[in-house]
Amino acid sequence: MVTVLATLGFLAFGWLLVLVGATQGTLARELGVGLEETGGLAAAVSLGLGVGVVLAGPAVDRWPRRPLFVAATATVALALQGAALAEGVFVLGLALALAGLGAGVFETVVNTVVPESFPGHAERRLALVHTGATVGAVTAPPLIVALSGSGGSAAAFRTASLLFGATALLGSLVRLLPPASGAPAAAPSRAPRLLALLPLLVATAAYVGFETALTAFAPALGVARGVEPERAVAGISALWMGLLVGRLLFLLWRGRVGPAWLLAQGVIALLVFAALSRTAIGLETGLGLLGIVLGSTFPILMALTARAFPERAGTAVGLVAGAGALGGVLVPWCAGALGGRLGPAALAAVLGLCCAGLASAGYAELRRRG
């Protein structure tokens, strides 16, 4: 039942991840949102996520997990209702940041409880759970466009709110494993060491930054290549369909999983994105390939982190996921600012650097582990 709850929760999470990108056209008409503002809204979600995952880490290691799960998902539901009522970009950004904060707590609870519940195959179980996010992100954009066309962006925000509200209700009925230790504080020697976590911190920041920015700016990249705005939104679905396929393929893998995967994924993603940026491949095809390559990246990062610090898995997972959220704040903001001033080529350059950062961090972690 834990797997079912976590997967359904990530289905709603997938909607949240694509809300900004999929409502970009509607928000432009309603509130005058441009590239820079779109990057700011995507960054607001990621900022909230970052605060949520970091704050949740120690709490998950000490407190009962079910109340945390319910409170977190209910917070997202309420914040998205607030987003539906927002009449300006600033208020909308605040509501999305609060939604991100609740989602960050939810994410840390799940990314900690699932490896603890299935220690023998944590990577594959997390990949299975995270398919919920990819299914949500694949199916959401066309539905959001349809909802926005009839009821404006508020209809899309309210639908996402209902999904998180249903998750909160289901979560109140499911038992989650208690913390491994009831001690109020961990021994200093067992606390996660930032230096040991550094490659994972960098890898997660690069990956999440890339995914967040690409989700937000896929329509803009498509329009820059002459694709109709409505069809360009399909690029978001193509990316997340690729992520779904990549995670499903990863479930079939029975060999060892380690930092070498991160190195390979970063290099291949850089090559595919370079080809996409140079129009050698179609928009949907290129974004789909990127998704396939990177589908297992985040589950692998979370599992490697939890396994490295079993005594304080929640704190370690929170720190690494927090670095990812920081990347999700900085990369869309930088990409949007540079893209708005210098054009799509500058936006693409920022995203290419993220792929290189993932590969470099994977190599550093591989060397660190010997």
Side-chain angles (χ1 to χ4, degrees):
M1 195 61 184
V2 171
T3 301
V4 174
L5 173 65
T7 304
L8 292 177
F10 268 104
L11 178 69
F13 189 72
W15 271 67
L16 177 62
L17 292 177
V18 301
L19 266 177
V20 172
T23 57
Q24 183 185 42
T26 305
L27 290 173
R29 293 190 295 271
E30 294 176 348
L31 303 177
V33 171
L35 275 182
E36 190 165 355
E37 290 81 8
T38 298
L41 291 175
V45 177
S46 292
L47 178 61
L49 279 168
V51 174
V53 293
V54 173
L55 291 180
V60 170
D61 285 333
R62 292 167 174 79
W63 299 345
R65 276 74 179 273
R66 181 160 59 182
L68 286 172
F69 182 96
V70 173
T73 47
T75 297
V76 183
L78 292 173
L80 289 174
Q81 288 291 338
L85 299 173
E87 296 182 354
V89 176
F90 180 74
V91 175
L92 177 58
L94 288 179
L96 290 175
L98 180 58
L101 187 149
V105 177
F106 152 82
E107 184 182 3
T108 300
V109 173
V110 172
N111 286 333
T112 303
V113 169
V114 171
E116 289 178 351
S117 301
F118 307 96
H121 41 98
E123 291 93 349
R124 294 176 189 85
R125 186 65 63 157
L126 275 175
L128 175 61
V129 166
H130 281 258
T131 58
T134 54
V135 170
V138 167
T139 58
L143 294 174
I144 289 172
V145 169
L147 288 167
S148 299
S150 59
S153 61
F157 292 129
R158 289 194 178 103
T159 301
S161 172
L162 291 175
L163 290 174
F164 274 100
T167 302
L169 288 175
L170 181 60
S172 67
L173 304 175
V174 178
R175 178 183 179 274
L176 302 179
L177 284 179
S181 171
S189 61
R190 294 185 176 182
R193 298 180 302 277
L194 285 178
L195 186 59
L197 283 174
L198 184 58
L200 296 172
L201 294 170
V202 173
T204 310
Y207 167 73
V208 176
F210 180 78
E211 177 192 278
T212 304
L214 196 57
T215 298
F217 294 119
L221 290 172
V223 170
R225 295 180 55 177
V227 178
E228 291 296 323
E230 291 76 13
R231 184 189 154 207
V233 174
I236 301 175
S237 291
L239 170 66
W240 284 89
M241 177 62 78
L243 288 166
L244 173 60
V245 172
R247 285 172 183 171
L248 292 176
L249 290 174
F250 180 66
L251 293 176
L252 303 176
W253 177 258
R254 291 294 178 266
R256 295 183 61 187
V257 178
W261 279 68
L262 305 177
L263 169 60
Q265 287 170 322
V267 170
I268 297 172
L270 180 59
L271 294 174
V272 173
F273 186 71
L276 173 63
S277 300
R278 293 176 178 273
T279 70
I281 52 180
L283 178 71
E284 292 92 338
T285 300
L287 292 174
L289 287 173
L290 282 169
I292 292 173
V293 171
L294 299 172
S296 60
T297 303
F298 195 77
I300 289 173
L301 284 164
M302 293 299 101
L304 289 175
T305 303
R307 185 172 290 124
F309 298 95
E311 298 89 352
R312 284 292 178 265
T315 301
V317 165
L319 288 171
V320 172
L326 180 62
V329 171
L330 295 179
V331 174
W333 178 74
C334 291
L338 290 175
R341 289 169 170 77
L342 303 177
L347 189 157
V350 174
L351 295 179
L353 286 175
C354 289
C355 297
L358 174 62
S360 300
Y363 177 74
E365 179 67 6
L366 188 63
R367 289 289 303 271
R368 190 186 71 81
R369 296 190 178 205

